Amino acid sequence: MKNFSATKYSLQNVTTGRIFEDEGWLLDDPEGGSPSLIRARYTTRQIKPGGDEMGIYRFAQWLPVGRMLKGSCAPVTYKSSKLAAALGLKNLYITFNGYYPKIGAHMSTCSFKETEAYSVCGRLGEDHAHKVLVVASAGNTARAFARVCSDNRIPLLLSVPEDNLDALWFDAPLNDCVKLIAARKGGDYFDAIHLSNLVLKSDKFLAEGGAKNIARRDGMATTVLSATTFIGRIPDYYFQAIGSGTGAIAAWEANQRLIEDGRFGTHKMKLMVSQNLPFVPMYNAWRARSRAMLPYDDDQARIDAESIDAKVLSNRKPPYPIGGGLFDALIDTGGDILVATNEEARAAKKLFEETEGVDIYSAPGIALATLIKAVKAGEVDPEKIIMLNITGGGEKHFQQGKELHYLKPSLVFDLDPDPDEVVRKVSALF
């Protein structure tokens, strides 16, 4: 957009409070200290969303971006009637991230990971134009970054478990600026992360940064901005399934900005986040009220990750213990981690499609399943305002009548590959 100007912000170490300037792609406080996330502090304290034609950039005042990329869509929030009635809730608001034109939702990858990709790539400056962005993913994040980078000609290397490659579908072939490598069958998301870290030993590549990247978190935070500006106040409860917990951390940070805004309330949403049994490492740590993650055998973790429907929720090394991470967010908001089985998620997905008219992925199925259980157990007040973050859906709608194209890996590596070989072979792809 011609009249778009770069967002002004500074950075803050969440643990120490130190404020400093962004040097372009900082993922940590350069002065170090104990492990801590850094957070953007925006010059604009009161958010004034732009028009729908701006896509996700309608919230650009609270995104660390220097440019707008084409093709984005913002999350869509609406008040539920049929699902709310089925659950006996008076104020259930659904924030839908996916493809459902009936309500104005047009995310072509059908996932809220688009919010991350458009924000992260909008943060990339000219000083990084010669670098290849590296993203590790369990599936949906890779699909979103692939689409955004392909459409905007941004060099990208994806690292994904070979078992999850069926998530990399597209309605058109991708530009060859996007390359894919995979961790061999039997590996999980952590193996894909390990593989991407080996690649980053070459200075040809740039780490996207995951939860440490302010752009990723603040892109995800647009779900809460969508809900709050639609409702007119901060919700009381926030339900979302988590793999890394980054989306919930982002929701907590958005909540704090909205309190500073002064127009939407002074309360903190109770974060009600969920995992898919039996892969529940954060749930186990939280039940023990342990900031540190508990021991989790690598082989057992891979088995558990393979057994869950919601493969995107299988992060073994989440930003849970780090300063400003999920443990702190749950403590600050009086939140909780809940769990649901594959069977409960499947039933919840069926209920959502029957009542709201659109299919959803297994991860939001887990979130809905835990909401259903929490309502039955009397753990939520049915009169309060509940935000249900549907993090992906509408795949049936989007794929109907389309020929799909799947991104194939250029290289597949063993789970314990030779680091020098990885760097040499991957560098040659670009």
Side-chain angles (χ1 to χ4, degrees):
M1 186 170 288
K2 292 180 180 178
N3 62 355
F4 180 79
S5 56
T7 305
K8 295 180 180 179
Y9 64 93
S10 56
L11 298 174
Q12 184 172 29
N13 182 312
V14 177
T15 300
T16 67
R18 189 179 91 86
I19 297 172
F20 51 100
E21 293 307 308
D22 189 5
E23 295 172 1
W25 199 255
L26 288 178
L27 301 175
D28 298 284
D29 182 345
E31 290 196 2
S34 60
S36 174
L37 295 178
I38 57 176
R39 186 179 294 167
R41 291 173 51 89
Y42 296 104
T43 302
T44 300
R45 292 303 174 92
Q46 288 196 322
I47 186 80
K48 298 179 180 64
D52 290 339
E53 74 281 357
M54 296 178 70
I56 192 177
Y57 301 108
R58 65 190 301 258
F59 300 114
Q61 290 173 323
W62 288 359
L63 293 173
V65 293
R67 57 176 176 163
M68 285 178 59
L69 303 176
K70 67 178 183 179
S72 75
C73 300
V76 175
T77 300
Y78 66 96
K79 188 173 185 180
S80 169
S81 56
K82 292 182 180 179
L83 178 60
L87 300 186
L89 299 174
K90 299 290 181 65
N91 294 293
L92 174 61
Y93 289 86
I94 293 170
T95 298
F96 189 85
N97 302 268
Y99 188 80
Y100 194 23
K102 181 179 177 180
I103 64 168
H106 294 276
M107 291 184 180
S108 63
T109 66
C110 304
S111 167
F112 89 141
K113 297 300 183 178
E114 278 192 31
T115 65
E116 304 173 29
Y118 280 106
S119 181
V120 168
C121 294
R123 187 188 181 197
L124 278 171
E126 289 299 320
D127 50 339
H128 297 109
H130 63 289
K131 298 270 192 177
V132 178
L133 188 66
V134 178
V135 175
S137 167
N140 287 350
T141 301
R143 189 167 71 251
F145 271 89
R147 180 81 274 163
V148 174
C149 289
S150 175
D151 288 349
N152 292 277
R153 304 296 188 267
I154 298 168
L156 173 70
L157 176 69
L158 298 170
S159 179
V160 176
E162 192 175 19
D163 288 326
N164 296 19
L165 295 182
D166 59 350
L168 298 183
W169 55 262
F170 304 91
D171 62 330
L174 298 180
N175 184 276
D176 65 5
C177 65
V178 176
K179 305 291 185 185
L180 169 66
I181 59 174
R184 197 170 298 284
K185 287 183 179 298
D188 64 3
Y189 180 33
F190 180 69
D191 294 303
I193 293 173
H194 174 65
L195 187 57
S196 70
N197 286 339
L198 294 180
V199 172
L200 289 165
K201 295 181 185 299
S202 165
D203 60 9
K204 178 183 286 190
F205 299 95
L206 177 69
E208 182 272 330
K212 290 186 173 184
N213 193 324
I214 56 168
R216 179 178 277 216
R217 302 201 313 274
D218 292 355
M220 295 168 120
T222 59
T223 56
V224 175
L225 303 185
S226 168
T228 299
T229 55
F230 177 82
I231 299 165
R233 72 185 289 275
I234 299 164
D236 298 305
Y237 296 94
Y238 173 89
F239 277 80
Q240 187 207 313
I242 56 169
S244 68
T246 307
I249 298 166
W252 174 50
E253 293 176 329
N255 193 156
Q256 293 173 71
R257 292 189 183 110
L258 289 162
I259 290 173
E260 285 188 22
D261 182 300
R263 297 171 296 167
F264 301 102
T266 59
H267 61 285
K268 291 173 181 172
M269 301 181 296
K270 191 179 180 76
L271 298 180
M272 306 289 277
V273 296
S274 50
Q275 293 205 280
N276 189 169
L277 284 164
F279 189 94
V280 292
M282 285 185 280
Y283 170 80
N284 290 334
W286 178 246
R287 279 289 164 272
R289 285 302 184 272
S290 169
R291 175 182 286 274
M293 298 293 290
L294 305 183
Y296 198 177
D297 177 76
D298 287 351
D299 291 335
Q300 187 61 51
R302 291 186 179 111
I303 292 169
D304 291 345
E306 177 58 29
S307 71
I308 62 175
D309 282 359
K311 296 287 191 288
V312 296
L313 305 184
S314 58
N315 189 334
R316 273 190 271 158
K317 302 288 184 180
Y320 172 89
I322 192 171
L326 186 64
F327 181 84
D328 288 338
L330 291 170
I331 291 291
D332 189 53
T333 65
D336 202 0
I337 301 182
L338 313 171
V339 293
T341 64
N342 288 339
E343 291 72 21
E344 289 168 333
R346 290 167 194 166
K349 289 169 61 180
K350 184 172 183 288
L351 176 64
F352 192 94
E353 189 164 6
E354 290 171 349
T355 55
E356 298 298 328
V358 64
D359 58 292
I360 60 173
Y361 286 139
S362 294
I366 290 289
L368 176 55
T370 57
L371 171 58
I372 293 168
K373 288 165 50 168
V375 170
K376 288 181 179 177
E379 295 171 356
V380 297
D381 184 339
E383 303 284 335
K384 295 289 189 180
I385 292 176
I386 298 169
M387 174 188 168
L388 173 61
N389 188 357
I390 296 296
T391 51
E395 185 175 294
K396 289 181 187 177
H397 282 270
F398 184 78
Q399 292 186 356
Q400 191 170 18
K402 293 184 174 72
E403 179 188 355
L404 297 182
H405 301 262
Y406 287 83
L407 184 61
K408 302 296 183 184
S410 299
L411 298 165
V412 178
F413 291 97
D414 292 334
L415 302 187
D416 189 22
D418 176 75
D420 293 335
E421 181 186 19
V422 171
V423 171
R424 184 176 68 257
K425 287 186 173 181
V426 175
S427 295
L429 295 178
F430 295 89

